[in-house]
Every structure is written in structure tokens, then in C-alpha cells.
């Protein structure tokens, strides 16, 4: 297929051909990499030096006896070649005179499911491989479910290794029936089943005389003919603003991709966040002035009016606006080794917008084998579930099934910066327009004024036995003697009342701190100086508490003592019990403590006496002006 | 009318989107500019992405001092025309210690390219660096994300890459860590040439055939670009009509015999070629896994 393409015209034609993005997925050893290698080899896109290298690699690492091991073409990482498995998604390119293909070859092992999801998120079509000798497996179902969750509606069920079952049509029919029974429960529009042998080339680019009962197309024929979905063309205009271009006073352009619909000069548009409307004045693609642009293009537009619009906003069709909400139900695939903890603050990125978010409720986990919904406290790596989310600010969105770009999001861990989840918004739990804060005349500033003080949270964190409560009580005495209105929230006391229902698992620890932080906030609204004395082992939750408070009103005090010192003090005998195994999940013993990286104040309780430390807290408050009379 | 973009239009839009994300989210981005055809395409896309403003980041060239002279001349002219700041960085310690492509093999590459790159990124505090690598070039490249996380020591961990979904890129890093961004990930060599043709993008003349002084070494034509070229006993430069498919340090870059002196002729020759472009780079031949090792050390 190279021979006729020797002219510049042919090059241009090849480049203007359309593209099909697809992925290969399925369980371990079902032959995904071998299939891609076979497609590259059959379409004669391999160069001589690559074939030579492949032959020499096949002798060294190959798993196909004396034959060429096509998988070695795509398994490019050292660890992959040594272990003979695929770890991460590989992107490969090939072309026929009809079409160009971008192929994501994804791993089958369950621990690399997130890499499989990476490949699926941009695919138009999925080739799901099944080993004819093994049939439909749990991992086959998991991949089908992820593929459908991520919006791939077109599936090729490639029943591979037919040579190992003597091309028995009954085996093929049974696997197809099994899969269709499962697929009926998930959102897939079209399934095309093809019996193949990737190793021997049956029904890949050439038909096979060993499958007389099969009358359908070869895999390559099907890939050339299938009409890729372009649902984005039929949905209303959505253009997230990525970047505002202000080279001079007379130009204010908004750069971003047209993720759905189309945009034309003169169109009336709306800024989704503010609801302000304007018209499109100009459209630029590079230096080229355009009358209109289609979905998929990266454009720069200017508007006829100066309306408030910045990165993260969405330009939308006026007659069909996206929804705006700060609470959602969403499907998520969890992708991090650290579990999803409801209540923990994460970041949500959707289009060009990144906002703080909490999972307010884990509604259920989906059992991949049975599709049953099971109650769960956490989601573990590669688990799939449905959650409720609350963002710190309302965001514009469309349900994922209507728009992949405006309904898809990722969650990011605030401290490791890992991408921990992929999500798809189902629907809003409430509309932002329904949220009304009661505007009160007597506000927090008024209450504080009456007390002649600046409300402040002093958050004491540290190991059990580090001296948090001792120091907090001494600080409170000193504040009281100065006529300040204070309250101490102590871990032990709060756990006897407000948080009586919580235990010591990670999930419960997160909720414990969330409630205390909210309580502290209400008390500062009342004008109090709040001294919180909690182990609060996780940075994320301490950060959450900080962000609830206005800038400067939250001071993190790290009461620092080596664990050996705390253990020796052991005022409540807890370390002894934890060491004896009587208490589980004890911080510092079998549950981690994440020390603050930049506390406002660090108190070394092994080096100084409690009175001296309390004095230092008071001195710090004075130096910040927080004890000045209002 | 059909709203389906062509293959090249889709690639162009994707690259522009990636560059704008970096401009918006990185604190201090830079574009690695290697002067080759891929860099030329990348720069063209950057100009398009931000027009009418200039791209909001500087260009940086890691200069081993062994690049072809024509490359340096082209580099300075191109940066000036784009109205962009050009940073040229050389590992002076390596230069002073006498590292050169004749005596030091892979150590030369490590010291003068990889180490130099790391030094330059640290010196300027760049937290995001664009590179023109493509996934079709090499097997470990095919495995790399578009937004590729690097530790504080610039190392790539291929077994622990961030999932990259839809067009949502997570480029959050802690202090000292950084991102390498490859906006041309999904382009092939053919796409690059088709785009150069379509957009009439200037490229270094060395890509076009011309009579140049060369010697044959290890089955490859090596050009004698200046007086520092060491000739083995009996080696005499001869004039041949040659051109280059990729450009790097001249003593390490193999030329092909060719009479293709127009873009159309180059493209036609490439379509008929039976070897891959990296076949011309001596450093890539040491082991098929050498690219992955270099990338783990911080190579682009």
C-alpha cells in the first residue's frame, strides 16, 4: 500500500484522510500486542531495520518459538520485554489508502487498569480481545465496562487464538453469546464479533479459509469502513476558555478548543458562569481569519462586548446553556494506590477549570462480574463506583452521556499531585441558582467587634502524648486572663459527644476532622478564639480546615516530639495498649502521621517546658497582631 | 457540510490545545528548540496557538558545540523572526573537561546533552519544558505520556506514569519537580513533512540534497563540517550528493545519498524508504532499550 503514494499530492491526500482512534483491550495474554504487531506487519509499515531488530529480539525475548513475536514491536519498556507483559499503553500509527489509524495498545493486568483507561478515553472504537481457549473473563468485563463508562460505544469483539480451538465455530458462538449477555447491561451501541488468529493472520487483513462459517469482514476491512462517531458535531457549542490573549489594549481574545457544536461570526453566545451574553466578533485559527469553526478546532475568538470571561469559563450557545452546579452524582474509576476516602478534599479538573472538591458520599461500588451495586466505605485501586461530589464553587457542565468533554473530569490528590480518578458526571444534585445564603445584618465581623477581638483558630497537631492538650490549656488560661473569649475543642472530649459514632479508620479520621473544622469555623463566626487540640494526622484534612477560614485566621501549631518521647510519657497508657495489639490504627504505631511541612509555629515539646511553649504561642499571636483590641 | 476534521487538522488542533494548557498552568515554561524539522513544526504551532501575541515562553537550545554550522545560523535567524527570546546553553564543565563525540561515545551524550539539559532547566527554574519528540520514533517514546512527569532529579519513571484522560492534563508538580510536554506525540514523520509542505515552514538546508564533504564510517556517511573532525588513517573526505533525515551533532549523524533537493522529492524518497529515521543516529543503535535508559536519566 506504499507503492502508489510517491507524489506530494498523495502525501497531502494521506494527511487529509480521516483518522480512527482505537484501542485494543482485554485480559492478560489475550494477544493485544501481538494483534497490533500483526497489523503493522501486514500493512507493510515496518522498515527494514525495524524488522531486523524484531527478528533478533524474537530470538532473545520472544514467546512465539521460532516465529516472529509481534508483541515485541509494541512492548517497548525494558520491564515489559523481560516479563513478556504490557505495562503501559503504547501508541502506534498505521495507515491504509482509506484511512489513518492511531492505536492505543493497553495492558491487560488488573494493576495497570488505569493505563487501559488512559487509552480508552480518546478512542472512537475499542477492539476487545478474548482468548478463545479461555472465554469471557472478569478482566474482559471490567474493560468492557470502563470502555463504555468512558463513552466508547463501538466495540469489536475479537475472538483470538482460534487456531488453538481448531477454529471451532461453536466456541466462537458461545463466547459471542456470553459477551452479549453481559453487554446488554452496559451502554454499548454496537458489537462486531470476528474470529481471528493474530499470530497466524486469520481474518486480520486477509480472510481465512479456516473460518468457513464466518461471512463478515476481516478486522482491517471493518476498521476501514466503520463510521466513527462524532456526537460532538450534533451537540450545542461549548468552548472552554484556556487562555486569554491580551497583546495590546485593542485586542482581547479567548483561546480554546471548540469541544462541541460549531461557532460562527455573529453567533450570540453566553458565558456559562456569569450568564452574560455577547456576540462572536472574530474567529482566528492561527493567523487565519475565519467565518466559522468546527468542533475539534483550536480557535481564538473575540467578542463584541467586554464581558467578564477568564480561564475556566465556558463560551456556550445562548439558546442551549450548560448546567451550573456545585453538587453532582458521577461514575468514577479509582486509579490510585491510596484509597478514595469520602470527605477528603481533592481537586477536580474539568475542561480548563480546577476546583477543590469533596466526595460527600460513596453511593456504591460496582461488582464487575455481576454488575451488582455493593455498599462500600472506600474505593480501592481499579474499582468502579458511583459517588456524590461537592465542589467549592459551581462549575458548568453537561451530563457525560451528552458531552464527553464537558461531562468528564479527573480528580487530583492535593499533596501527591497524582491523578487519582477519572469521572463522568451523571447529573446535578442541585442547581447553583437554588443556593441562597441568608445575608444577615449581624455578621461575624459584628460579633467579633462586640468581643473586641479577632476570631482565630489555633490548630494544635501532633502525636498522642506530644503535649497538645497541655499546651492548649495553658494558652487558654493566658488568653482568659487577658479577657479573651475562648473555647478548647479537644480530641478526646469531642469523640465522646459530637463524634461518638466515629472510629479510627482512615475514613472516620477524615470525617472526624471535617466535623471539628466546621465546628471551629462556626465558633469563629461567633467571634471566639478556638483552640483545637487534635492529633489530625493527615495533611489533606488540616489543609481543608485551613481553607474553611479566611486568610490569616488559621494558625497551625505543630507540637513536635519524637515518638519515643511520646511513648515514654504515654499519659493515657495508649501506646502500651497499641503495642499489645489491643488498639488498632493507632497513630505512630500502625497508622501514619504526616507532619506539617510548613506549620505557622513549631513547638519542640521534648526540649522546652509547657509553660514556655504556651508563652511562645502568645508571643506569636501578638507578633501577628491577633491580640490587638478591635 | 461535514464537520470531520482531516487528520492533519486534528493533530494541529490537539498540539495547539496542549501548548495553551501549558502556557496557562505552568509557572515558568520553556520550549526546547533543537533546530530540526520537528522543532520547526513545533515552533510554527506555538506561533499559531498564541497569535496575535508571541508565544509566552522562551526557546532554549542545548548546544553541544558540535552541531552543524548551518544549524546554528538557522537557529538565530528563526528565533529573531519569531520575536522570541533564545537561550543557548552549553555544559561548560563538560566542555572544559574535553568531552567530545570521538572519544567518549555515550558518555559524551550524557554529559553534553542530558546533563546540560538538566543544568539549564535547574539554572532557569523551568517547571515545564516542551520537546518535539514523537511516539512513532522509538518504542519507549510510544509509551510516554504527552505530559510526562519528571522528579526533582529529572528522572522519568516509566512504570508510574500519570493516567492521561481525554484532553485533561494534570500538570501539578511540587517544588523542584517538572513536566516535559510533547505536543507532537501523535504526529508521524509523514505528518511532519506533510505539514511542512502545507504550511511552507522553513527548515535547515541540510535536509535537502547537496554536494557535501563526507567520509564513510560504520556503513554511514558522516559529514566533515569543520576542522575538528578527526580522520582515521587513510580516510579522505569526498564530495557526495547527500542529505540528512535527522539532525544532531555532526560527527554522530549519518547522511543518506540522495538527489532530493525539493520538499516534494524528499517526501517521495521518504515514502519509498525502507529504514526508519533513527537508523541515522549512531547513539540510538547501542541497544534497543538505550532510549529508555537515557530518558530515565533525564534525556528528552
Amino acid at each position: 500500500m506504499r507503492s502508489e503514494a510517491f507524489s506530494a499530492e498523495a502525501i497531502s491526500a494521506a494527511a487529509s484522510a480521516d483518522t480512527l482512534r482505537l484501542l485494543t483491550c482485554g485480559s492478560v495474554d489475550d494477544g493485544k500486542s501481538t494483534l497490533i504487531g500483526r497489523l503493522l506487519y501486514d500493512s507493510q509499515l515496518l522498515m527494514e531495520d525495524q524488522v531486523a531488530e524484531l527478528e533478533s529480539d524474537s530470538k532473545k525475548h520472544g514467546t512465539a518459538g521460532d516465529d516472529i513475536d509481534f508483541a515485541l514491536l509494541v512492548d517497548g519498556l525494558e520491564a515489559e520485554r523481560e516479563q513478556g507483559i504490557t505495562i503501559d499503553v503504547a501508541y502506534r500509527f498505521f495507515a491504509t489508502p482509506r484511512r489513518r489509524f492511531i492505536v492505543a495498545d493497553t495492558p491487560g493486568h488488573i494493576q495497570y487498569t488505569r493505563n487501559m483507561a488512559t487509552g480508552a478515553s480518546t478512542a472512537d472504537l475499542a477492539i476487545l480481545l478474548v482468548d478463545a481457549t479461555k472465554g469471557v473473563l472478569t478482566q474482559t468485563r471490567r474493560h468492557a465496562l470502563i470502555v463504555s463508562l468512558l463513552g466508547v460505544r463501538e466495540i469489536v469483539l475479537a475472538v483470538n487464538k482460534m487456531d488453538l480451538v481448531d477454529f471451532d465455530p461453536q466456541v466462537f458462538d458461545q463466547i459471542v453469546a456470553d459477551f452479549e449477555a453481559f453487554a446488554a447491561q452496559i451502554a454499548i451501541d454496537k458489537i462486531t464479533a470476528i474470529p481471528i488468529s493474530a499470530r497466524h493472520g486469520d481474518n486480520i487483513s486477509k480472510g481465512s479459509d479456516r473460518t468457513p462459517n464466518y461471512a463478515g469482514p476481516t478486522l482491517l476491512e471493518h476498521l476501514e469502513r466503520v463510521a466513527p462517531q462524532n456526537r460532538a458535531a450534533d451537540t450545542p457549542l461549548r468552548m472552554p476558555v484556556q487562555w486569554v490573549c491580551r497583546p495590546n489594549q485593542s485586542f482581547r481574545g479567548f483561546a480554546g478548543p471548540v469541544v462541541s457544536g460549531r461557532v460562527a461570526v455573529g453567533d450570540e453566545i453566553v458565558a456559562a458562569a456569569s450568564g452574560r451574553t455577547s456576540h462572536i466578533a472574530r474567529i482566528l485559527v492561527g493567523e487565519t481569519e475565519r467565518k466559522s469553526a468546527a468542533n475539534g478546532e483550536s480557535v481564538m475568538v473575540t467578542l463584541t462586548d467586554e464581558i467578564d470571561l477568564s480561564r475556566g469559563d465556558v463560551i456556550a450557545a445562548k439558546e442551549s446553556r450548560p448546567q451550573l452546579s456545585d453538587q453532582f452524582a458521577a461514575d468514577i474509576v479509582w486509579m490510585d494506590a491510596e484509597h478514595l476516602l469520602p470527605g477528603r478534599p481533592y481537586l477536580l479538573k474539568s475542561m480548563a477549570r480546577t476546583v477543590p472538591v469533596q466526595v460527600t458520599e460513596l453511593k456504591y461500588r460496582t461488582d464487575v462480574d455481576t454488575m451488582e451495586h455493593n455498599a462500600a466505605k472506600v474505593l480501592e485501586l481499579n474499582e468502579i463506583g458511583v459517588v456524590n461530589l461537592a465542589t467549592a464553587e459551581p462549575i458548568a457542565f453537561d451530563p457525560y452521556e451528552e458531552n464527553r468533554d464537558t461531562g468528564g473530569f479527573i480528580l487530583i490528590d492535593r499533596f501527591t499531585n497524582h491523578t487519582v480518578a477519572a469521572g463522568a458526571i451523571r447529573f446535578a444534585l442541585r442547581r447553583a441558582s437554588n443556593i441562597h445564603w441568608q445575608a444577615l445584618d449581624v455578621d461575624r465581623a459584628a460579633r467579633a467587634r462586640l468581643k473586641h477581638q479577632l476570631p482565630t483558630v489555633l490548630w494544635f497537631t501532633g502525636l498522642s502524648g506530644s503535649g497538645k492538650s497541655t499546651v492548649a490549656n495553658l494558652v487558654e488560661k493566658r488568653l482568659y486572663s487577658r479577657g479573651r473569649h475562648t473555647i478548647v475543642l479537644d480530641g478526646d472530649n469531642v469523640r465522646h459527644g459530637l463524634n461518638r459514632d466515629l472510629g479510627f479508620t482512615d475514613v472516620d479520621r477524615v470525617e472526624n476532622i471535617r466535623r471539628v473544622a466546621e465546628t471551629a469555623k462556626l465558633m469563629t463566626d461567633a467571634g471566639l478564639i478556638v483552640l483545637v487540640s487534635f492529633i489530625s494526622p493527615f495533611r489533606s484534612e488540616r489543609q481543608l480546615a485551613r481553607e474553611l477560614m479566611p486568610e490569616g485566621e488559621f494558625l497551625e501549631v505543630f507540637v513536635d516530639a519524637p515518638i519515643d518521647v511520646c511513648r515514654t510519657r504515654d499519659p493515657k497508657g495508649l501506646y502500651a495498649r497499641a503495642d499489645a495489639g489491643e488498639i488498632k490504627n493507632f497513630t505512630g504505631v500502625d497508622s501514619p502521621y504526616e507532619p506539617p511541612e510548613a506549620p505557622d509555629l513549631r513547638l519542640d515539646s521534648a526540649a522546652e517546658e509547657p509553660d514556655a511553649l504556651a508563652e511562645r504561642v502568645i508571643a506569636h499571636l501578638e507578633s501577628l497582631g491577633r491580640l490587638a483590641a478591635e | 457540510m461535514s464537520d470531520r476534521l482531516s487528520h492533519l487538522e486534528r493533530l494541529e488542533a490537539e498540539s495547539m490545545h496542549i501548548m495553551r494548557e501549558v502556557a496557562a498552568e505552568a509557572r515558568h515554561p520553556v520550549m526546547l528548540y533543537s533546530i530540526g524539522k520537528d522543532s520547526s513544526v513545533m515552533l510554527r504551532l506555538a506561533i499559531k496557538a498564541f497569535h496575535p501575541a508571541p508565544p509566552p515562553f522562551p526557546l532554549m537550545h542545548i548546544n553541544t558545540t558540535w552541531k552543524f554550522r548551518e544549524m546554528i545560523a538557522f537557529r538565530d535567524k528563526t528565533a529573531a523572526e519569531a520575536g522570541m527570546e533564545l537561550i543557548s546553553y552549553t555544559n561548560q564543565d563538560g566542555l572544559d573537561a574535553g568531552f567530545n563525540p570521538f572519544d567518549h561515545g555515550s558518555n559524551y551524550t550524557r554529559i553534553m546533552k542530558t546533563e546540560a539539559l538538566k543544568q539549564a532547566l535547574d539554572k532557569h527554574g523551568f517547571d515545564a519544558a516542551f520537546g518535539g519528540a514523537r511516539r512513532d520514533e522509538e518504542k519507549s517514546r510510544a509509551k510516554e505520556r504527552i505530559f510526562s512527569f519528571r522528579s526533582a532529579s529529572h528522572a522519568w519513571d516509566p512504570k508510574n506514569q500519570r493516567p492521561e484522560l481525554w484532553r485533561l492534563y494534570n500538570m501539578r508538580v511540587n517544588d523542584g519537580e517538572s513536566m516535559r510536554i510533547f505536543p507532537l506525540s501523535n504526529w508521524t514523520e509523514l505528518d511532519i513533512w506533510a505539514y511542512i509542505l502545507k504550511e511552507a515552514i522553513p527548515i535547515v538546508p541540510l535536509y535537502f540534497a547537496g554536494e557535501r564533504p563526507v567520509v564513510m564510517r560504520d556503513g554511514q556517511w558522516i559529514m566533515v563540517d569543520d576542522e575538528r573532525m578527526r580522520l582515521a588513517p587513510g580516510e579522505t573526505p569526498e564530495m557526495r550528493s547527500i542529505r540528512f533525515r535527522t539532525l544532531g551533532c555532526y560527527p554522530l549523524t549519518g547522511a543518506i545519498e540522495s538527489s532530493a533537493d525539493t520538499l516534494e522529492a524528499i517526501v517521495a524518497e521518504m515514502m519509498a524508504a525502507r529504514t526508519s529515521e533513527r537508523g541515522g543516529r549512531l547513539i540510538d543503535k547501542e541497544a534497543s532499550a538505550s532510549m529508555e535508559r537515557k530518558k530515565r536519566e533525564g534525556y528528552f
Side-chain angles (χ1 to χ4, degrees), chain A residues 578-590:
Chain A
D579 288 340
E582 292 170 28
I583 306 178
K584 294 275 181 239
N585 299 324
F586 192 74
T587 301
V589 177
D590 56 353

Side-chain angles (χ1 to χ4, degrees), chain A residues 280-299:
Chain A
I280 301 286
R282 297 171 64 192
I283 301 173
L284 288 167
V285 177
E287 300 92 332
T288 310
E289 198 85 38
R290 296 267 292 269
K291 287 268 176 261
S292 67
N295 65 83
E297 295 197 83
S298 282
V299 303

